[in-house]
Amino acid sequence: HLSINVIGDAFADIYCYLEGDMPEHGGDARLVQPIHTVAGGSGLNTATHLSSLLRHFWTNGSGDGDKLPRTSNVNLQTVINENDDHGKLIASHCNRHEFALINRRVSSHPSCYCGTNEAALQSQAGDKSTGHCAVIVSKGDRSFMTHLGCMEDFRGSHILTNFRYLDNKTETTITQNAQHVHIAGYYNIAGFWDGELAGKLAEMRETQTETNERISISLVPQQDATNQWDGGLLNILQYIDFLILSEIEVKNITKYQSGDKHDCNHSGLLKHVAHFSSSKV
């Protein structure tokens, strides 16, 4: 059995496709398509694709010399306001793509619940909205303007690490064989910075040692809207097996400039680094 637990961001993406260049400050521009909203965010997108891949390629095969069926499940731990339209859009998307949404929102009226079929609680005045993002597409390039909403309250301490329990909540009964944890959108979640996430990752590694289970951990940093490119990221690499990042993210995180001799593997702490370049071959 393979269990994948994605922990990270989910947003409602509001797409605007420009006819040409971005407008000048205070100007106007024409759109070539109607504005439309879809479920998005690094965490949600990753869970969506992994769920599809596992349904089509993993569960159709079998293990142990074709004697035992392969099973899998995907969980997404994130934060939404399940009572607003953007939150309902994200919950519906998770149901449609057959992975479990585990909402870790903390509000004046507690609403942390597993799954997407449980009754939503009464919305409280002043509750923050689900995070949403204006995605401006011009000549193939995307620019983002994000309102974090309740996502800014997501903290490392809110993460659930008892993955066996989560699998039971999603009706998985087969004994675990392998676990993978993927941290998505690190720079979108300030509550993970400066040691907040590190404590939970250390807890996962301790559990791995105690139970003798196989746990691998990957992380995608994402763009840093603050342009600080810090948040204590380098200090958590000791817990990460796979760091997946773009060329721009490599250069900003490591402060690498063309001609420098720095290695993005940060003194060999990482087992695997996936570095994606935008250069054309």
Side-chain angles (χ1 to χ4, degrees), residues 5 8-9 16 43 49 53 55 59 62 74 95 112 135 151 162-163 224 233 246 262 280:
N5 295 275
D9 54 357
C16 303
H49 291 300
L53 285 169
R55 287 198 311 274
T59 56
S62 61
V74 177
N95 271 334
C112 294
V135 184
M151 184 64 64
N162 188 345
F163 300 129
D224 182 7
L233 176 64
S246 69
H262 296 101
K280 295 182 179 179

Side-chain angles (χ1 to χ4, degrees), residues 100-104 111-118 160 165-166 169-170:
L101 169 64
I102 301 171
N103 189 9
R104 301 305 296 150
S111 57
C112 294
Y113 65 98
C114 292
T116 56
N117 296 316
E118 299 182 23
L160 299 176
Y165 169 77
L166 298 183
K169 294 290 287 188
T170 54

Side-chain angles (χ1 to χ4, degrees), residues 229-240:
W229 299 98
D230 189 5
L233 176 64
L234 296 180
N235 294 328
I236 67 173
L237 295 188
Q238 58 185 307
Y239 304 111
I240 304 299

